[in-house]
Amino acid sequence: MSESDKLPSGRTRIESLEMRGITKRFPGVLASDHVDFDVRSGEVHALLGENGAGKSTLMKILYGLYHPDEGEILINGKAVRISSPTDSINLGIGMIHQHFMLVQTLTVAENVALGLPSSRGLLTDLDRVSKRIVELADIYGLRIDPSAYIWQLSVGQQQRVEIIKALYRGAALLILDEPTAVLTPQEVDELFVIMKQMVKDGHGLVFISHKLHEVVEISHRVSVLRDGRMIGTRPTSEVTKQDLANWMVGREVGFIPDRGQAQRGEPRLQVKNVFCGSDRGTPGLRGVSLEVCSGEILGIAGVSGNGQRELAETIAGLRKVTGGQVLLEGQDVTNLPPAELTERMLSYIPEERMRDGMIKEFTVAENMVLREHHKAPYSRYGFLNLGEISRHSDELIKRFRVKTPSRDTRAKNLSGGNIQKIVLAREIFRTPRVIIAAQPTRGLDIGATEYVREQLLEQRRKGTAVLLISEDLDEILALSDRIAVLYEGQVMDIVNREDATPEKLGLLMAGVHPERQAG
Amino acid sequence: MISDLFSVTVLIGILASGIRLSTPYLYAAIGETFGQKSGVLNLGVEGQMLLGAFAAFYVAMTTGSLWLGLLTAMVVGALMGLAMAYVTVNLHAQQGISGIGFYLFGLGMSDLLFQKLLGTVETVQGFPKIYIPVLSDIPGFGEIFFSQNILVYGAYLLVPLAWFVLNKTTLGLKIRAVGENPDAADSLGVSVARTRYFTIILGGILSGVAGASMSIALLNVFQQNMTSGLGFIAVALVYFGAWRPIGVLGGALLFSLINSLQLWIQVLSVPIPSDLAVMMPYVVTILVLVATVSKVRAPSALSKPFERGD
Amino acid sequence: MKKFVWFVLTLALVLSACGAPAAEAPAAEAPAATEAPAVEAPAATEAPTEAPAPAEPFRVAVVMPSAINDLAFGQSMYDALVRIQEEMGAENFEFVYSEGMFVVDDAAAAIRDYATQGFDLVIAHGSQYGSSLQEIAPDFPETSFAWGTTVDTFGQPNIFAYEAASHEGGYVNGVLAAKLTKSKVIGVVGPIETGDAKLYIDGFKAGVAATDPDVKVNVNYIGSFSDVALASEAATTHISAGADVLTGSAQMVVGAIGKAEEANALWFGTQSNQASLAPKIVVASQVYHWEVILKEIIGLVQDGVLGGQSFTANLENGGQVIEFNPDYALPEDVRAVADETVKGIVDGTVTITLP
């Protein structure tokens, strides 16, 4: 075996990996329907598809978390059996999960060493592991402190730990499941530098993303999955973003919505020098001031954990304001209970919709009236008016195109996009005065995203004040009239849409204020 | 009187008795620590202790071998642990409720066996005190720390051992990871099920020893429900100790020392009503817990069944 | 998770302090939860078919919080029933029991069951059963109930009340203890400062004080009827404090007796004969002979009187007996003092002043 077969980590390359005729059935669903997919050494192969298209299923089969009902996997032309993550790790396959598979309370070295045999038998050999981590970090340009605890690290750093974990285990082929979803533009750039280096060194990468421009930028080939079937694989240079979007959805999509002119009116929501506490690890708010007017969308940009969640929660009455004021239509609503804010027509689309926006065990219909169930016409004298609730929820299901077998289906059995539609339907049906939308399209596929964005713009046309919190800069730029950037619990700056560029926002998100620095 | 509390005899008495009282807590709570570290809440400790106490007593009495009795208690505890592991790991049962179920099983079963096999309260000759040469001759200290029976020494050796296993071995790393983020552990090829089976069975064994330490080392009798809620206190001590063996040791000692202190308070006729005196260990423990509100969180996956999913 | 800590601590408190302050009898610490009610009829239940014109046997059911072999309160009742059966014959007297009924609701259900089944006498052997009995008894006017230990019949015509004058036996034990102590320090291990245990201990203290005012009696209530470990440490504490004679009430004292034996200190028992646990050191036990009272009650029931009276088991009527341990060599003169004290209490020449 010649030197060139080796990767810098010392591992032999995987020249080619093929998945042939992979079929996987779940009760009632054909998640993967005779799918062919392949990756070669030295390429980034992007895998595109809407939620539920079967990307995750396919990759989980490759990583040994699921077992296919049919089909085979070949490495360098030889059939292999992968029945557990251990098997795939041993074959040189690594996976960077969308939700990091890291133990927050352990150190980097401990996370890397977990599950591996130790050179000292029963005892851990963390010092040796740390040394090797530093070596690998040098080779691939991933700076990381092996003795740091995961909870101390930024999201971008945590992702590097995930990559190191895979490399440490000798991964020749890496699956990156939506790796950019949680990163700042700068961090995305850094990740791409690392990815390019790895490809140059002979690794094969599978890149899963919703963001078409990233796919176009980084990948060599792109495959599109829809409804469990492979639509096609092309060299990236031969396709346009529009082609890819159409293939994914199966129809023509206009994916930059038409914003139209803002009809900015009177201030509806004012946040004045607000302070609040935080959960462990992230800053709370430290003197945040902003205002959202009628007919306007104010976008809140920032890297996850810089106070976005706290901002949404303080306004929604879920977190105690320790200083400052929140005004709703000129009236002080600081620290009022959520029920009172509902009365005043504030709507909240929470970030963790499964946890905060929904009761999983309740039916679609029950979730639809969660906010107003105690009022006419949904209840009288303390009794629920089931007829009215049914009629109302059927109407919303139709209007918001919620894909559900019936209104009596339990919410937990629906997909993320449909759950978001239910929350959205409930929150905007009554045409609120103010909407707080926290990460409203996170985890949604293009079709659902398009729909949610349209609805927010529709609300804006109707004169509602919308506060849009999103970590997706494209979304912020596509929807907002003005953009506020949060950094460590403070507003770095508020810029008009016309003046905003991804680069400028990216610097603000990283805590750098170009004008202030220059001046 | 109050001043008598500070005499040497009394201080030695309090410390020696505190150390004896803490022994069953230590075994049970260290065992529970392993379980909780791996994400399994076992509320059946009390039941495991009772069956362990009975098994140890009965075998020691009938065979005359204390070691065989101890071994039987460990086997019984392990079997209870095995059943608990099956119910919680394979069947994904709600851990709190199934733990209470195991408690009731141990309580009823030990009572039934006691009725059928013994019929009346009897005594055995338990593990004798072992006087550690030289050390046991140190005035005061010798009596407190180096004149105890083997199971008391064992309990105290268990603390550093448990710390070592949890923090310095690959097994300990797996246990901690499985209790914090089983998905992450699973994705790295660590078997969540096997790890939890191990810790629950280990917890069962140690609970069995805890029971044996009462029936054949410290008290040398068996009576129905003789553990009297001690197993539940042990579970609370794991929280008190913030899931660290040293913290568990601190909690067990604090609770036991206050308990032996209140015994002396009554004996010395310190004018405190007995009802208040017997509340002291609980009150003080709760106060310390409140005062030292620790930043340490429970293992994130505690009491959550693990199922490989999306 | 914090909430959970409170939950566990509270649970622990409840379990360990089980029995509740109101529990006069050694409360229920052997809840055969999985098998309760453990109903057994040790008597020959088959009807004597050949006997000529057999009278219906007298049928008694008893519900008790602890176990029939607890060497204490529960056992005293069970032994009494066995003795009555021996005396009257199995063909004339049958009894069944439910033990471990520490949950009052379960006990109430059992009491009602027995009444429904037509038992002649249903005994609620635990002071905590009172309010249940008060509700049940009026529904079964034909059935007689007995409740102890108490003097309260609730003014109902079908409830008998019974109690023990445990201070009398306690007094005798106290006199003996004062005579035998050399260190002039005596230790007492009690459960919760209430009811029968308190009565015994107060009597014991009075006996010691009347005999030798220089002897110090240290009393330790451990707050539990079941915490064997704490009872045993309490005994150790007494011994460290110089006690060479100990006594104690309720079923958790088995732990204490063991420690007394290790230290070669003397032990006085109550409620049941505890000599079997430590033959070398148990001097005497105050034993309840409920049969004395039960026989009276049975006689009344057979004559058609179903309740409304209360009874006290004491030294005079033989409901209480001081049983000496034959294995312990009690000096003749001390034994004589004991007998004299018993006689004095019976004829009224000795009066017991309780605090």
Side-chain angles (χ1 to χ4, degrees), chain B residues 17 20-21 107-108 111-112 115 119 121 123 218-219 223-226 228 232-233 236 239 259 263-264 266-267 274 278 282 286 289-290 293 298, chain C residues 4-6 8-9 11 13 15-16 29-30 32 34-35 67 69 99 193 218 220-222 226-228 232-233 236-238 240 251 254 259 277:
Chain B
S17 137
R20 280 191 298 271
L21 281 173
L107 180 68
D111 189 15
L112 183 70
Q115 307 264 6
V121 179
T123 55
L218 293 165
L219 310 173
Q223 193 179 50
Q224 292 109 315
N225 194 25
M226 69 184 289
S228 183
F232 288 94
I233 306 241
Y239 285 78
N259 227 337
L263 291 176
W264 275 100
Q266 291 194 51
V267 164
S274 69
V278 298
Y282 303 93
I286 288 171
L289 195 60
V290 171
V293 175
Chain C
F4 183 78
V5 179
W6 299 117
V8 171
L9 283 173
L11 190 66
L13 266 169
L15 283 169
S16 59
E29 304 296 347
T34 49
E35 10 131 29
N69 49 12
E99 61 180 342
E193 195 170 354
N218 294 325
N220 216 328
Y221 286 101
I222 65 161
S226 61
D227 197 331
V228 185
S232 128
E233 280 308 325
T236 308
T237 305
H238 282 307
S240 307
Q251 71 265 31
V254 293
K259 295 297 140 184
L277 271 179

Coordinates of all heavy atoms in Angstrom, one line a residue, chain B residues 17 20-21 107-108 111-112 115 119 121 123 218-219 223-226 228 232-233 236 239 259 263-264 266-267 274 278 282 286 289-290 293 298, chain C residues 4-6 8-9 11 13 15-16 29-30 32 34-35 67 69 99 193 218 220-222 226-228 232-233 236-238 240 251 254 259 277:
Chain B
S17 N -20.7 6.2 67.2 CA -22.0 5.8 66.9 C -22.4 6.3 65.5 O -23.1 5.7 64.7 CB -22.9 6.1 68.1 OG -24.1 6.7 67.6
R20 N -21.0 4.1 62.9 CA -21.7 2.9 62.7 C -23.1 3.1 62.0 O -23.4 2.4 61.1 CB -22.0 2.3 64.1 CG -20.9 1.5 64.7 CD -21.3 0.7 65.9 NE -21.8 1.6 67.0 CZ -21.1 2.1 67.9 NH1 -19.8 1.8 68.0 NH2 -21.6 2.9 68.9
L21 N -23.8 4.2 62.4 CA -25.1 4.4 61.8 C -24.9 4.7 60.3 O -25.8 4.5 59.5 CB -25.8 5.6 62.5 CG -26.4 5.4 63.8 CD1 -26.9 6.7 64.5 CD2 -27.6 4.5 63.7
L107 N -40.2 -5.5 50.7 CA -40.9 -5.4 52.0 C -41.7 -6.6 52.3 O -41.6 -7.3 53.3 CB -41.7 -4.1 52.1 CG -42.5 -3.8 53.3 CD1 -41.5 -3.4 54.4 CD2 -43.4 -2.6 53.1
G108 N -42.6 -6.9 51.4 CA -43.6 -8.0 51.6 C -42.8 -9.4 51.6 O -43.1 -10.2 52.4
D111 N -40.8 -10.0 54.7 CA -41.7 -10.3 55.8 C -42.3 -11.7 55.7 O -42.2 -12.5 56.7 CB -42.9 -9.3 55.7 CG -43.8 -9.4 56.9 OD1 -43.4 -10.0 57.9 OD2 -44.9 -8.9 56.9
L112 N -42.7 -12.1 54.5 CA -43.2 -13.5 54.3 C -42.2 -14.5 54.6 O -42.4 -15.5 55.3 CB -43.7 -13.6 52.8 CG -44.3 -14.9 52.4 CD1 -45.7 -15.0 53.1 CD2 -44.4 -15.0 50.9
Q115 N -41.7 -14.8 58.3 CA -42.8 -15.5 59.0 C -42.6 -17.0 58.7 O -42.8 -17.8 59.7 CB -44.1 -15.1 58.4 CG -44.4 -13.6 58.4 CD -45.1 -13.2 59.6 OE1 -45.4 -14.0 60.5 NE2 -45.5 -11.9 59.7
G119 N -40.2 -17.1 61.9 CA -41.3 -17.1 62.8 C -41.2 -16.2 64.0 O -42.1 -15.6 64.4
V121 N -38.3 -13.3 66.2 CA -37.1 -12.6 66.2 C -36.0 -13.4 66.8 O -36.2 -13.9 68.0 CB -37.2 -11.2 66.9 CG1 -35.9 -10.5 66.9 CG2 -38.3 -10.4 66.2
T123 N -31.4 -14.0 67.1 CA -30.2 -13.3 67.0 C -29.1 -14.2 66.4 O -29.2 -15.4 66.5 CB -29.7 -12.7 68.4 OG1 -29.6 -13.9 69.2 CG2 -30.6 -11.7 68.9
L218 N -24.1 -5.1 62.4 CA -24.3 -4.0 63.4 C -25.4 -4.4 64.4 O -25.2 -4.1 65.6 CB -24.7 -2.7 62.6 CG -23.6 -2.1 61.7 CD1 -24.2 -1.1 60.8 CD2 -22.6 -1.5 62.6
L219 N -26.5 -5.0 63.9 CA -27.6 -5.2 64.9 C -27.7 -6.7 65.2 O -28.2 -7.1 66.3 CB -28.9 -4.7 64.2 CG -28.8 -3.3 63.7 CD1 -30.1 -3.0 63.0 CD2 -28.6 -2.4 64.9
Q223 N -35.8 -8.2 61.8 CA -37.1 -8.0 62.1 C -37.8 -7.4 60.9 O -37.2 -6.8 60.1 CB -37.2 -7.0 63.3 CG -38.6 -6.9 63.9 CD -38.6 -5.9 65.0 OE1 -38.2 -4.8 64.9 NE2 -39.2 -6.4 66.2
Q224 N -39.1 -7.6 60.8 CA -39.9 -7.1 59.7 C -39.6 -5.6 59.5 O -39.6 -4.8 60.5 CB -41.4 -7.3 59.8 CG -41.8 -8.7 59.7 CD -42.2 -9.2 61.1 OE1 -41.6 -8.9 62.1 NE2 -43.3 -9.9 61.1
N225 N -39.4 -5.1 58.3 CA -39.2 -3.7 58.0 C -38.2 -3.0 58.9 O -38.3 -1.9 59.3 CB -40.6 -2.9 58.2 CG -40.5 -1.6 57.6 OD1 -39.7 -1.3 56.7 ND2 -41.3 -0.7 58.1
M226 N -37.1 -3.8 59.2 CA -36.1 -3.3 60.1 C -35.3 -2.1 59.5 O -34.7 -1.3 60.2 CB -35.1 -4.4 60.5 CG -34.2 -4.8 59.4 SD -33.1 -6.2 60.0 CE -32.0 -5.4 61.1
S228 N -36.6 0.4 58.0 CA -37.4 1.6 58.5 C -37.1 2.9 57.8 O -36.9 3.9 58.3 CB -36.9 1.8 60.0 OG -37.6 2.8 60.6
F232 N -34.7 4.9 51.7 CA -35.2 6.2 51.1 C -34.3 7.3 51.4 O -34.0 8.2 50.6 CB -36.6 6.4 51.4 CG -37.6 5.5 50.8 CD1 -38.0 4.4 51.5 CD2 -38.0 5.7 49.5 CE1 -38.8 3.4 50.8 CE2 -38.9 4.8 48.9 CZ -39.3 3.7 49.6
I233 N -33.8 7.3 52.7 CA -32.9 8.4 53.1 C -31.6 8.2 52.2 O -31.0 9.2 51.8 CB -32.5 8.2 54.6 CG1 -33.8 8.2 55.4 CG2 -31.5 9.3 55.0 CD1 -33.9 9.3 56.4
A236 N -32.1 10.0 49.1 CA -32.0 11.4 49.3 C -30.6 11.9 49.4 O -30.2 12.9 49.0 CB -32.8 11.8 50.5
Y239 N -28.8 12.8 46.3 CA -29.0 14.2 45.9 C -28.2 15.2 46.7 O -27.6 16.1 46.3 CB -30.5 14.5 46.0 CG -31.4 13.9 44.9 CD1 -31.7 12.6 45.0 CD2 -31.8 14.7 43.8 CE1 -32.4 12.0 44.0 CE2 -32.5 14.1 42.8 CZ -32.9 12.7 42.9 OH -33.6 12.2 41.9
N259 N -27.9 12.4 64.3 CA -28.8 11.4 65.0 C -28.2 10.9 66.3 O -28.8 10.8 67.3 CB -29.0 10.2 64.0 CG -30.5 9.8 63.9 OD1 -31.2 10.1 64.8 ND2 -30.8 9.2 62.8
L263 N -29.4 11.5 70.3 CA -29.5 10.4 71.3 C -28.8 10.8 72.6 O -29.4 10.7 73.7 CB -28.9 9.1 70.8 CG -29.6 8.4 69.6 CD1 -28.7 7.2 69.2 CD2 -31.0 8.0 70.0
W264 N -27.7 11.4 72.5 CA -26.9 11.9 73.7 C -27.7 13.0 74.3 O -27.7 13.1 75.5 CB -25.5 12.3 73.3 CG -24.6 11.1 73.3 CD1 -24.2 10.4 72.2 CD2 -24.0 10.5 74.5 NE1 -23.4 9.4 72.6 CE2 -23.2 9.4 74.0 CE3 -24.1 10.7 75.8 CZ2 -22.5 8.5 74.8 CZ3 -23.4 9.9 76.7 CH2 -22.6 8.8 76.2
Q266 N -30.7 13.5 74.6 CA -31.8 13.0 75.4 C -31.2 12.3 76.6 O -31.7 12.5 77.8 CB -32.7 12.0 74.6 CG -33.5 12.6 73.5 CD -34.6 11.7 73.0 OE1 -35.3 11.1 73.8 NE2 -34.6 11.5 71.7
V267 N -30.2 11.5 76.4 CA -29.6 10.8 77.6 C -29.1 11.8 78.6 O -29.2 11.5 79.8 CB -28.5 9.9 77.1 CG1 -27.6 9.4 78.2 CG2 -29.1 8.7 76.3
S274 N -38.4 15.3 73.3 CA -37.9 14.2 72.5 C -38.4 14.3 71.1 O -37.7 14.0 70.1 CB -38.3 12.9 73.1 OG -39.7 12.7 73.0
V278 N -35.7 14.1 67.9 CA -35.7 13.2 66.8 C -35.9 13.8 65.4 O -35.5 13.2 64.4 CB -36.7 12.0 67.0 CG1 -36.5 11.3 68.3 CG2 -38.2 12.6 67.0
Y282 N -33.2 15.3 60.4 CA -33.9 15.7 59.1 C -33.8 17.2 58.9 O -33.5 17.7 57.8 CB -35.4 15.3 59.2 CG -35.5 13.8 59.4 CD1 -35.6 13.3 60.7 CD2 -35.4 12.9 58.4 CE1 -35.7 11.9 60.9 CE2 -35.5 11.5 58.6 CZ -35.6 11.0 59.9 OH -35.7 9.7 60.0
I286 N -31.8 19.1 55.9 CA -32.5 19.9 54.9 C -32.0 21.4 54.9 O -31.7 22.0 53.9 CB -34.1 20.0 55.3 CG1 -34.7 18.6 54.9 CG2 -34.8 21.1 54.5 CD1 -36.1 18.5 55.4
L289 N -28.8 21.4 53.1 CA -29.1 21.3 51.7 C -29.5 22.6 51.1 O -29.0 23.1 50.0 CB -30.2 20.3 51.5 CG -30.4 19.7 50.1 CD1 -29.1 19.0 49.6 CD2 -31.5 18.8 50.0
V290 N -30.3 23.3 51.8 CA -30.8 24.6 51.4 C -29.6 25.6 51.4 O -29.5 26.4 50.4 CB -31.9 25.1 52.3 CG1 -32.3 26.6 51.9 CG2 -33.1 24.3 52.1
V293 N -27.1 25.2 48.5 CA -27.7 25.0 47.1 C -26.6 24.9 46.1 O -25.9 25.9 45.7 CB -28.7 26.1 46.8 CG1 -29.2 25.9 45.4 CG2 -29.8 26.2 47.7
A298 N -28.4 17.5 38.4 CA -28.6 16.0 38.3 C -28.1 15.6 36.9 O -28.1 16.4 36.0 CB -30.1 15.7 38.5
Chain C
F4 N -37.9 16.9 43.8 CA -37.8 15.5 44.1 C -37.1 15.2 45.4 O -37.4 14.3 46.2 CB -37.1 14.8 43.0 CG -37.0 13.4 43.2 CD1 -38.2 12.6 42.9 CD2 -36.0 12.7 43.7 CE1 -38.2 11.3 43.1 CE2 -36.0 11.4 44.0 CZ -37.1 10.7 43.7
V5 N -36.1 16.0 45.7 CA -35.4 15.8 47.0 C -36.3 16.0 48.1 O -36.3 15.1 49.1 CB -34.2 16.9 47.1 CG1 -33.5 16.7 48.4 CG2 -33.3 16.8 45.9
W6 N -37.2 17.0 48.0 CA -38.1 17.2 49.1 C -39.0 16.0 49.2 O -39.4 15.5 50.3 CB -38.9 18.4 48.9 CG -38.1 19.6 48.9 CD1 -37.9 20.5 47.8 CD2 -37.2 20.1 49.9 NE1 -37.0 21.5 48.2 CE2 -36.6 21.3 49.4 CE3 -37.0 19.7 51.2 CZ2 -35.7 22.0 50.2 CZ3 -36.1 20.4 52.0 CH2 -35.5 21.6 51.5
V8 N -38.4 12.9 48.4 CA -37.8 11.8 49.0 C -37.6 12.0 50.5 O -37.9 11.1 51.3 CB -36.4 11.5 48.4 CG1 -35.7 10.4 49.1 CG2 -36.6 11.1 46.9
L9 N -37.2 13.2 50.9 CA -37.0 13.4 52.3 C -38.3 13.3 53.1 O -38.3 12.7 54.2 CB -36.4 14.8 52.5 CG -34.9 14.9 52.2 CD1 -34.5 16.4 52.2 CD2 -34.0 14.1 53.1
L11 N -40.9 11.6 52.2 CA -41.2 10.2 52.2 C -40.4 9.4 53.3 O -41.0 8.6 54.1 CB -40.9 9.6 50.8 CG -41.4 8.2 50.6 CD1 -43.0 8.2 50.5 CD2 -40.9 7.6 49.3
L13 N -39.1 10.7 55.9 CA -39.6 11.1 57.2 C -40.8 10.3 57.6 O -40.9 9.8 58.7 CB -40.0 12.6 57.2 CG -38.9 13.6 57.6 CD1 -39.3 15.0 57.3 CD2 -38.7 13.4 59.1
L15 N -41.9 7.5 56.5 CA -41.7 6.1 56.7 C -41.0 5.8 58.0 O -41.3 4.9 58.7 CB -40.9 5.5 55.5 CG -41.8 5.3 54.2 CD1 -40.9 5.0 53.1 CD2 -42.8 4.2 54.4
S16 N -40.0 6.7 58.2 CA -39.2 6.3 59.4 C -40.0 6.7 60.7 O -39.8 6.1 61.7 CB -37.9 7.0 59.3 OG -38.1 8.4 59.3
E29 N -45.3 -1.9 61.9 CA -44.1 -1.7 61.1 C -43.9 -3.0 60.3 O -42.9 -3.1 59.6 CB -42.9 -1.4 62.0 CG -43.2 -0.2 62.8 CD -43.3 1.1 62.0 OE1 -43.0 1.1 60.8 OE2 -43.7 2.1 62.6
A30 N -44.8 -3.8 60.3 CA -44.5 -5.0 59.4 C -45.7 -5.2 58.5 O -46.5 -6.1 58.6 CB -44.4 -6.3 60.3
A32 N -47.2 -6.5 55.8 CA -47.1 -7.5 54.8 C -47.9 -7.1 53.6 O -48.9 -7.6 53.2 CB -47.7 -8.8 55.3
T34 N -47.8 -7.1 50.4 CA -48.2 -7.8 49.2 C -49.2 -8.9 49.5 O -49.8 -9.4 48.6 CB -47.0 -8.4 48.5 OG1 -46.2 -9.1 49.6 CG2 -46.1 -7.4 47.9
E35 N -49.3 -9.3 50.8 CA -50.1 -10.4 51.0 C -51.3 -10.1 52.0 O -52.1 -10.9 52.3 CB -49.3 -11.6 51.6 CG -47.9 -11.2 51.9 CD -47.5 -11.7 53.3 OE1 -48.0 -12.7 53.7 OE2 -46.7 -11.0 53.9
A67 N -47.0 -7.5 63.7 CA -47.0 -8.9 63.4 C -47.3 -9.7 64.6 O -47.1 -9.3 65.7 CB -45.7 -9.4 62.7
N69 N -45.8 -12.1 65.6 CA -44.6 -12.7 66.3 C -43.6 -11.5 66.5 O -42.4 -11.7 66.3 CB -43.9 -13.8 65.4 CG -43.8 -13.3 64.0 OD1 -44.0 -12.2 63.7 ND2 -43.5 -14.3 63.1
E99 N -52.7 -9.4 60.2 CA -51.6 -8.7 60.8 C -51.0 -7.7 59.8 O -51.3 -7.8 58.6 CB -50.5 -9.7 61.3 CG -49.9 -10.5 60.1 CD -48.9 -11.5 60.5 OE1 -48.3 -11.3 61.6 OE2 -48.6 -12.4 59.8
E193 N -43.0 9.3 72.4 CA -43.4 9.7 73.8 C -44.9 9.8 73.9 O -45.5 10.9 74.0 CB -42.7 11.0 74.2 CG -42.8 11.2 75.7 CD -41.9 12.4 76.1 OE1 -41.2 12.9 75.2 OE2 -41.9 12.7 77.3
N218 N -32.0 7.5 82.5 CA -31.9 8.2 81.2 C -32.9 7.7 80.2 O -32.9 6.5 80.0 CB -30.5 8.1 80.6 CG -29.4 8.8 81.5 OD1 -29.7 9.8 82.1 ND2 -28.3 8.2 81.5
N220 N -34.6 7.7 76.4 CA -34.3 8.1 75.0 C -35.5 7.6 74.2 O -35.7 6.4 73.9 CB -33.1 7.3 74.6 CG -32.2 8.2 73.7 OD1 -32.8 9.0 72.9 ND2 -30.9 8.0 73.7
Y221 N -36.3 8.6 73.7 CA -37.3 8.2 72.7 C -36.7 8.4 71.3 O -36.2 9.5 71.0 CB -38.5 9.2 72.9 CG -39.4 8.8 74.1 CD1 -39.3 9.6 75.2 CD2 -40.2 7.8 74.1 CE1 -40.0 9.3 76.4 CE2 -41.0 7.5 75.2 CZ -40.9 8.2 76.3 OH -41.7 7.9 77.4
I222 N -36.7 7.4 70.5 CA -36.0 7.5 69.2 C -36.9 7.9 68.1 O -36.5 8.1 67.0 CB -35.4 6.1 68.8 CG1 -36.4 5.0 68.6 CG2 -34.4 5.7 69.9 CD1 -35.9 3.9 67.7
S226 N -39.9 1.4 64.6 CA -39.3 0.3 63.7 C -37.9 0.5 63.5 O -37.2 -0.4 62.9 CB -40.0 0.4 62.3 OG -39.8 1.6 61.7
D227 N -37.3 1.6 63.9 CA -35.9 1.8 63.5 C -35.0 1.0 64.5 O -34.5 1.5 65.5 CB -35.6 3.3 63.6 CG -34.3 3.7 62.9 OD1 -33.4 2.8 62.8 OD2 -34.1 4.8 62.4
V228 N -34.7 -0.2 64.1 CA -33.9 -1.1 64.9 C -32.5 -0.6 65.1 O -31.9 -0.6 66.2 CB -33.9 -2.5 64.3 CG1 -33.1 -3.5 65.2 CG2 -35.3 -3.0 64.0
S232 N -30.7 0.4 68.6 CA -29.5 -0.2 69.0 C -28.4 0.8 69.4 O -27.7 0.7 70.4 CB -29.1 -1.2 67.9 OG -27.7 -0.9 67.6
E233 N -28.4 1.9 68.6 CA -27.4 3.0 69.0 C -27.8 3.7 70.2 O -27.0 4.1 71.0 CB -27.3 4.0 67.8 CG -26.4 3.6 66.7 CD -25.0 3.1 67.1 OE1 -24.4 3.6 68.1 OE2 -24.5 2.2 66.5
T236 N -26.5 1.6 72.9 CA -25.0 1.8 73.1 C -24.8 3.2 73.8 O -23.8 3.3 74.6 CB -24.4 1.8 71.6 OG1 -24.8 0.7 71.0 CG2 -22.9 1.9 71.7
T237 N -25.5 4.2 73.4 CA -25.4 5.5 74.0 C -25.6 5.4 75.5 O -24.8 5.9 76.3 CB -26.4 6.5 73.4 OG1 -26.2 6.5 72.0 CG2 -26.2 7.9 74.0
H238 N -26.7 4.7 75.9 CA -26.9 4.5 77.4 C -25.7 3.8 78.0 O -25.3 4.2 79.1 CB -28.2 3.7 77.6 CG -29.4 4.4 77.3 ND1 -29.7 5.6 78.0 CD2 -30.5 4.2 76.6 CE1 -30.9 6.1 77.6 NE2 -31.4 5.2 76.7
S240 N -22.6 3.7 77.1 CA -21.5 4.6 77.2 C -21.7 5.7 78.3 O -20.7 6.1 78.9 CB -21.3 5.4 75.9 OG -21.2 4.6 74.8
Q251 N -41.5 -2.8 69.4 CA -40.8 -3.9 68.8 C -39.4 -3.6 68.3 O -38.7 -4.5 67.9 CB -41.7 -4.5 67.7 CG -41.8 -3.7 66.4 CD -43.1 -2.8 66.5 OE1 -43.5 -2.4 67.6 NE2 -43.6 -2.5 65.3
V254 N -35.5 -4.9 69.8 CA -34.7 -6.1 69.6 C -33.3 -5.7 69.3 O -32.3 -6.4 69.7 CB -35.3 -7.0 68.5 CG1 -36.6 -7.6 68.9 CG2 -35.4 -6.2 67.2
K259 N -27.4 -5.1 71.9 CA -26.3 -4.3 72.4 C -26.1 -4.4 74.0 O -25.0 -4.4 74.5 CB -26.6 -2.8 72.1 CG -26.6 -2.5 70.6 CD -25.2 -2.8 70.0 CE -25.5 -3.4 68.6 NZ -24.3 -3.8 67.9
L277 N -34.5 -13.8 73.5 CA -33.5 -13.1 72.7 C -32.1 -13.0 73.3 O -31.1 -13.0 72.6 CB -34.0 -11.6 72.4 CG -34.9 -11.4 71.2 CD1 -35.3 -10.0 71.1 CD2 -34.1 -11.8 69.9

